[in-house]
């Protein structure tokens, strides 16, 4: 069936607004992996970072510009020369670069943050767009805190920045204050009061989720003329997050009877994208989250189960398969071969190179020895946790932990130094087995870590389910994320901690990540 509905541009800001939120930071290699997945998902624009904010952000925008050729790559810049110059420097090798410049326009921001008059802000916005335009044809301008900006002044800024050359005008509800009907009316007011607005530029919205209305507001904006939606995978972003990409996209797809617009998103890539992001960041998706939560397609009540078995239409408004969640009939176990594994990975959206498939197969057979049936979630954990590019300096060979409520906890470990091939054995005590284990690793590797966050999640059901451990640990004032999965939680903890250790040692050796702490945006 042909779909003649208007196409909404999907501007994904997972790597910029999303990455800014606490607990969601990513290193260069992780951002690149995520960007390649966003390309597969077929987003139209990837906002890859804020180049002036840190060396790490600059490198990420630069690398993504070089390697991701299908999507437009955007870099954020305040409405000042130094930011715009830096953004262009990072973006200039992109096949389709976009400079995204912004300044706040609400009286609250003008008075307390910028201490500038409306005219001064208008002049700065116009100058910024003109400078960006001198570098790049595709320029987006955002009126930060547009949600609380005076309607007439907002229209004046939009008109002036379009005249200066902006090709996309973004209207952010920066503090998530809008209500759908009012937000729709605000967008309509702009369309009606800025001559030829939607012919001359793409009108965009960027809604935050402080009242849980970001997706509803984005839908209302599109019903009133917006042509671009800024959103993130799993809805991550500043504070309560941004509009969730998967929710907006599936609303368009599920309600063509009411919504006369659609997107280019390949919806089967939604679930792999969501899983990849939570695997990279350790920021878990709440179980009842729409579309990608663990319970989004689970039916518990007897009446519901009966209905779904008779016909899934009874209680499902979309199929799990349509968002890339597979319930496969082929059970993978210890007798499955490399070919079956490769097929299953392809169905899940991963085309592994031979060396990665070999690695995945080793991890798979190890897991199959511990666990009868390997689920898709187990496979996703293998591909996303096991195959990583940080070289292993220290490898876990042996672990024994002792804990209990009446004894002093202790851990004994043997680690292999991969550079020398030597095995090093040590033991330590601690306030509980996790602390004993971390203390032992610190003694062996010669670092002193402060454990900042420690999370254990079971990936599938059952007593033999694989446990995923995510932790954040500070070495030398810089935070590193570590992750690992195993049927044994202490084994997973030791390997997750070592994952963070290996990242810290790699960063130390290569002088990277030094700016991670001071990074983030200064706006
Ligand atoms: O929320 C916001 O206003 C932003 C802008 C920089 C687009 O993130
Ligand atoms: Zn934002």
């Amino acid at each position: 069936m042909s779909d003649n509905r208007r196409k909404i541009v999907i501007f994904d800001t997972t790597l910029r607004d999303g990455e800014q939120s606490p607990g969601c930071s990513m290193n260069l290699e992780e951002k690149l992996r995520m960007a390649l997945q966003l390309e597969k998902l077929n987003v139209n624009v990837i906002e890859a970072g804020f180049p002036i904010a840190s060396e790490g952000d600059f490198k990420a925008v630069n690398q993504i510009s070089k390697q991701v050729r299908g999507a437009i790559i955007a870099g954020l810049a305040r409405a000042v020369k130094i930011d715009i110059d830096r953004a262009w420097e990072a973006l200039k090798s992109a096949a389709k670069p976009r400079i995204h410049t912004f300044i706040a326009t609400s009286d609250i921001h003008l008075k307390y943050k910028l201490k500038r008059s409306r005219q001064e802000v208008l002049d700065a916005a116009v100058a910024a767009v003109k400078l960006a335009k001198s570098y790049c044809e595709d320029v987006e301008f955002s009126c930060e805190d547009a949600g609380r900006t005076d309607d007439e002044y907002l229209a004046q800024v939009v008109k002036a920045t379009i005249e200066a050359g902006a090709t996309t005008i973004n209207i952010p509800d920066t503090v998530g204050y809008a209500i759908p009907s009012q937000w729709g009316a605000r967008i309509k007011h702009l369309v009606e009061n800025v001559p030829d607005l939607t012919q001359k530029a793409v009108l965009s919205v960027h809604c935050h989720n402080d009242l849980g209305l970001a997706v509803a507001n984005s839908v209302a904006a599109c019903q009133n003329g917006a042509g671009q939606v800024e959103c993130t995978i799993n809805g991550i972003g500043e504070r309560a997050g941004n509009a969730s990409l998967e929710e907006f996209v599936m609303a368009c797809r599920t309600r063509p009877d009411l919504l006369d617009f659609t997107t280019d998103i390949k919806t089967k890539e939604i679930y792999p994208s969501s899983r990849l992001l939570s695997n990279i960041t350790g920021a878990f998706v709440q179980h009842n989250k729409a579309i990608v939560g663990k319970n989004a397609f689970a039916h518990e009540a007897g009446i519901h189960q009966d209905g779904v078995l008779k016909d899934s239409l009874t209680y499902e408004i979309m199929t799990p398969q349509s968002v890339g969640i597979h319930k496969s009939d082929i059970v993978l176990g210890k007798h499955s071969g490399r070919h079956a594994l490769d097929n299953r990975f392809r169905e899940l959206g991963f085309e592994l190179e031979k060396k990665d498939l070999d690695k995945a197969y080793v991890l798979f057979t190890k897991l199959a020895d511990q666990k009868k049936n390997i689920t898709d979630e187990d496979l996703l954990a293998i591909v996303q946790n096991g195959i990583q590019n940080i070289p292993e300096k220290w490898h876990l060979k042996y672990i024994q932990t002792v804990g209990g409520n009446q004894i002093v906890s202790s851990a004994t470990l043997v680690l292999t130094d991969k550079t020398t091939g030597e095995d090093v054995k040590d033991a330590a005590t601690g306030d509980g087995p996790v602390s004993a284990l971390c203390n032992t690793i610190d003694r062996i590797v010669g670092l002193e870590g402060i454990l900042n966050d420690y999370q254990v999640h079971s990936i599938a059901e059952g007593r033999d389910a694989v446990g995923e451990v995510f932790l954040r640990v500070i070495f030398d004032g810089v935070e590193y994320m570590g992750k690992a999965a195993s049927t044994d939680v202490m084994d997973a903890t030791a390997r997750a901690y070592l994952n963070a250790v290996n990242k810290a040692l790699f960063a130390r050796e290569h002088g990277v990540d030094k700016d991670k702490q001071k990074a983030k945006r200064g706006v």
Side-chain angles (χ1 to χ4, degrees), residues 11 106 113 160 270 298 308 324 418 475 478:
F11 177 114
S106 69
K113 188 177 86 172
I270 284 180
V308 170
K418 299 282 271 192
F475 294 114
V478 181

Side-chain angles (χ1 to χ4, degrees), residues 463-479:
R463 290 187 177 201
D464 63 354
V466 170
E468 263 180 322
V469 171
F470 285 86
L471 44 82
R472 291 176 189 280
V473 49
I474 298 178
F475 294 114
D476 292 338
V478 181
E479 188 181 73

Side-chain angles (χ1 to χ4, degrees), residues 16-17 76 100 102 142 144 170 172 174 206 208 521:
R16 199 277 297 169
D17 209 319
L76 186 67
H100 176 193
F102 74 99
S142 285
E144 195 192 6
N170 184 37
T174 303
H206 172 113
H208 277 271
R521 64 176 190 166

Side-chain angles (χ1 to χ4, degrees), residues 13 16-18 20 47 76 144 170 172-175 206-208 230 237-239 241-242 521:
T13 184
R16 199 277 297 169
D17 209 319
Q20 257 164 229
E47 186 164 51
L76 186 67
E144 195 192 6
N170 184 37
D173 178 20
T174 303
V175 291
H206 172 113
C207 299
H208 277 271
E230 302 200 354
E238 283 279 4
R239 307 180 310 279
N242 288 75
R521 64 176 190 166

Side-chain angles (χ1 to χ4, degrees), residues 325-378:
I325 299 174
H326 289 269
K327 300 271 174 264
S328 175
D329 291 339
I330 298 175
V331 178
L332 291 177
K334 70 179 187 189
H335 301 297
S336 306
R338 199 177 294 253
H339 186 67
L341 184 67
D342 189 25
N343 266 348
R344 196 76 204 102
F345 276 133
R346 280 175 202 278
E347 282 171 11
L348 289 170
F350 295 96
E351 283 182 32
L352 301 189
E353 285 176 21
K354 188 178 169 317
K355 70 170 182 10
D356 287 340
L357 182 64
D358 289 347
K359 229 172 166 184
Y361 189 67
V362 171
L363 295 169
F364 165 78
T365 49
K366 260 194 198 159
L367 185 60
D369 274 340
Q370 298 161 21
K371 194 169 187 266
K372 203 160 154 250
N373 293 337
I374 308 290
T375 63
D376 286 349
E377 283 72 20
D378 294 329

Side-chain angles (χ1 to χ4, degrees), residues 432-453:
V434 170
S435 139
L437 189 157
C438 300
N439 290 342
T440 312
I441 294 179
D442 282 358
R443 283 168 65 108
I444 298 178
V445 304
L447 289 175
E448 212 172 302
I450 302 166
L451 195 59
N452 232 5
D453 186 15

Side-chain angles (χ1 to χ4, degrees), residues 45-59:
V45 187
I46 296 174
E47 186 164 51
F50 189 7
I52 194 79
S54 71
E55 193 52 33
D57 258 42
F58 178 88
K59 281 190 187 143

Side-chain angles (χ1 to χ4, degrees), residues 37 46 90 146-147 152 200 223 236 284 332 421 458 486 520 522:
Q37 178 59 32
I46 296 174
E152 303 316 318
K200 290 184 175 157
Q223 287 175 310
I236 64 168
F284 280 89
L332 291 177
S458 126
S486 167
K520 304 303 125 188

